[in-house]
């Protein structure tokens, strides 16, 4: 029904310019403690937006696809007793409108043989929770391994939001990993008018969101959060690091805090923090909140137009004021 473009904001370009010019490696705390702290501040702020409790961990990624790979790999590694010989019996539940990056991620992490169930949606394009639970029960009865469910808040095709709170109830009863794809619609959580759509997101096991959509940052800006940060850490450190990654100031010792490279499959990575921090710091969160509110009101206005209703809508966002 629509194509979702992106914009860029100038302070983000300045942030990238500085990151590129100084060529900061912010993947390891001992290499750039300030850079890691900057990234961590942004992750903490994002976690607050979605109501994640303390103990979470996350990473700044190249976008929703890489973020989904990290989340699904963490889910795979967190499932006790799950072995490669079982992967063909693993079942992942999505809706008809779930973004295809989920299936790509499953293939990437070795779950290409997993069964992916497309759960039907209702008249408002939301996942049918009753159909979900019935399908999970049927799969379990038939010897399959119900594994994870993906709820979307802001489908790319129509902008619909799955009932996350109800899906979380099913996930808890059935022992499923609940992953929330909020890549497109996530930052609408900043708007009071849309908060109800995010009820239950704080109960999810993982969530992804793209700042290059809702915050108008340059492409290549994603975030992944895992509610139980220990699981994200274990999933990405199930190997022995090279000696060159040890703290050069204190050989043989570990960093006092987790490094981004311990929370992602990436080692070499762009220092993405400044492109997100600069706009938020210079413009303030309220500027982005008002921009998103404008989009909600324009959508409501367009809805009334196609219904043939005569309406007058006033937009007054600081310097922005016009009538329709």
């Amino acid at each position: 029904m629509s194509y979702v473009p992106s914009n860029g904001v100038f302070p983000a370009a300045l942030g990238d310019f500085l990151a590129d010019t100084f060529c900061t490696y912010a993947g390891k705390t001992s290499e750039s403690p300030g850079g890691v702290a900057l990234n961590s501040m942004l992750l903490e702020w994002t976690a607050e937006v979605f109501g994640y409790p303390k103990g979470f961990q996350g990473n700044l990624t190249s976008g929703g696809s890489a973020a989904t790979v990290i989340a699904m790999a963490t889910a795979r590694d967190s499932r006790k007793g799950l072995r490669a010989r079982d992967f063909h019996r693993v079942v992942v539940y999505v809706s008809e409108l779930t973004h295809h990056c989920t299936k790509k991620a499953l293939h990437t992490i070795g779950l290409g043989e997993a069964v992916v169930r497309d759960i039907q949606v209702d008249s408002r394009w939301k996942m049918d929770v009753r159909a979900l639970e019935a399908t999970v029960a049927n799969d379990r009865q038939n010897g399959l391994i119900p594994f994870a469910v993906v709820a979307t808040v802001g489908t790319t095709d129509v902008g619909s939001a799955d009932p996350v709170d109800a899906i979380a109830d099913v996930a808890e009863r059935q022992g499923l990993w609940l992953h929330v794809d909020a890549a497109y619609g996530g930052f609408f959580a900043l708007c009071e008018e849309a908060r109800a759509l995010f009820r239950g997101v704080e109960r999810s096991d993982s969530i992804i969101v793209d700042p290059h959509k809702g915050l108008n940052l340059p492409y290549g800006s994603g975030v992944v959060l895992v509610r139980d940060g220990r699981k994200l850490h274990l999933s990405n450190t199930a190997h022995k690091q090279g000696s060159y990654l040890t703290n050069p100031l204190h050989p043989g010792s570990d960093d006092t805090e987790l490094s981004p490279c311990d929370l992602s499959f990436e080692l070499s990575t762009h220092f993405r923090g400044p492109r997100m921090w600069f706009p938020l710091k210079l413009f303030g969160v309220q500027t982005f909140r008002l921009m998103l509110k404008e989009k909600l009101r324009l959508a409501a206005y367009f809805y009334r137009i196609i219904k043939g209703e005569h309406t007058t809508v006033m937009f007054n966002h600081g310097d922005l004021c016009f009538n329709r």
Side-chain angles (χ1 to χ4, degrees):
M1 294 180 65
S2 64
Y3 176 72
V4 185
S6 185
N7 295 314
V9 289
F10 184 61
L14 291 179
D16 273 348
F17 174 76
L18 290 176
D20 292 343
T21 301
F22 289 104
C23 202
T24 302
Y25 175 64
K28 192 75 175 171
T29 304
S30 58
E31 296 273 351
S32 178
V36 172
L38 179 62
N39 287 351
S40 296
M41 281 193 297
L42 294 167
L43 292 170
E44 289 171 5
W45 173 74
T46 306
E48 288 178 7
V49 170
F50 296 110
Y52 262 32
K54 291 183 178 180
F56 80 92
Q57 289 292 347
N59 218 301
L60 302 181
T61 72
S62 62
S65 293
T68 303
V69 168
I70 294 171
M72 289 292 100
T74 304
R76 176 202 62 196
D77 296 338
S78 300
R79 183 66 178 256
K80 293 181 180 180
L82 187 64
R83 298 291 183 267
R85 62 176 178 267
D86 304 316
F87 286 178
H88 68 287
R89 295 193 296 127
V90 165
V91 187
V92 179
Y93 303 89
V94 302
S95 89
E96 301 171 20
L97 298 175
T98 299
H99 196 277
H100 66 277
C101 71
T102 295
K103 294 181 180 179
K104 289 181 66 176
L106 293 173
H107 177 79
T108 300
I109 65 172
L111 287 175
E113 293 181 303
V115 179
V116 179
R117 297 279 191 230
D118 290 330
I119 304 300
Q120 66 193 51
V121 295
D122 62 20
S123 61
R124 297 183 65 82
W125 305 99
K126 300 171 182 288
M127 182 185 288
D128 187 321
V129 180
R130 290 184 179 180
L132 169 65
E133 187 142 37
T135 304
V136 172
N138 185 66
D139 285 339
R140 196 182 303 279
Q141 187 175 0
N142 288 323
L144 298 178
I145 305 173
F147 168 61
V149 56
V150 180
T152 305
V153 184
T155 59
T156 308
D157 285 344
V158 300
S160 56
D162 290 329
V164 181
D165 210 27
I167 293 173
D169 289 338
V170 176
E172 288 181 3
R173 286 193 294 268
Q174 300 291 345
L176 303 175
W177 180 281
L178 172 55
H179 174 68
V180 171
D181 182 344
Y184 168 31
F187 283 110
F188 281 98
L190 293 171
C191 304
E192 190 62 34
E193 299 93 323
R195 285 299 300 177
L197 299 175
F198 294 86
R199 188 176 296 116
V201 166
E202 71 284 354
R203 300 169 61 190
S204 65
D205 295 290
S206 58
I207 184 173
I208 65 166
V209 61
D210 281 348
H212 65 221
K213 295 184 175 75
L215 296 183
N216 297 101
L217 299 192
Y219 277 120
S221 305
V223 174
V224 59
L225 301 174
V226 175
R227 184 154 55 96
D228 186 345
R230 296 171 301 175
K231 294 178 178 179
L232 179 62
H233 181 217
L234 290 173
S235 179
N236 289 281
T237 53
H239 52 80
K240 182 179 179 180
Q241 291 188 351
S243 59
Y244 69 92
L245 287 174
T246 58
N247 191 325
L249 300 179
H250 303 282
S253 68
D254 294 326
D255 289 326
T256 56
E257 62 178 291
L258 295 179
S259 297
C261 70
D262 299 322
L263 302 166
S264 168
F265 61 83
E266 291 184 291
L267 289 176
S268 299
T269 177
H270 178 63
F271 181 25
R272 300 184 177 104
R275 65 161 58 178
M276 184 174 175
W277 186 84
F278 268 50
L280 287 170
K281 191 68 175 179
L282 292 173
F283 294 148
V285 175
Q286 182 66 2
T287 299
F288 292 95
R289 180 179 290 111
L290 293 177
M291 178 270 294
L292 292 165
K293 282 187 176 183
E294 178 196 9
K295 304 302 179 288
L296 291 173
R297 294 187 181 186
L298 285 171
Y301 169 60
F302 177 66
Y303 174 71
R304 294 188 183 99
I305 286 179
I306 61 176
K307 287 185 67 179
E309 296 180 2
H310 178 73
T311 183
T312 298
V313 180
M314 171 66 79
F315 299 88
N316 191 347
H317 292 165
D319 293 333
L320 176 64
C321 181
F322 55 92
N323 286 307
R324 288 292 186 272

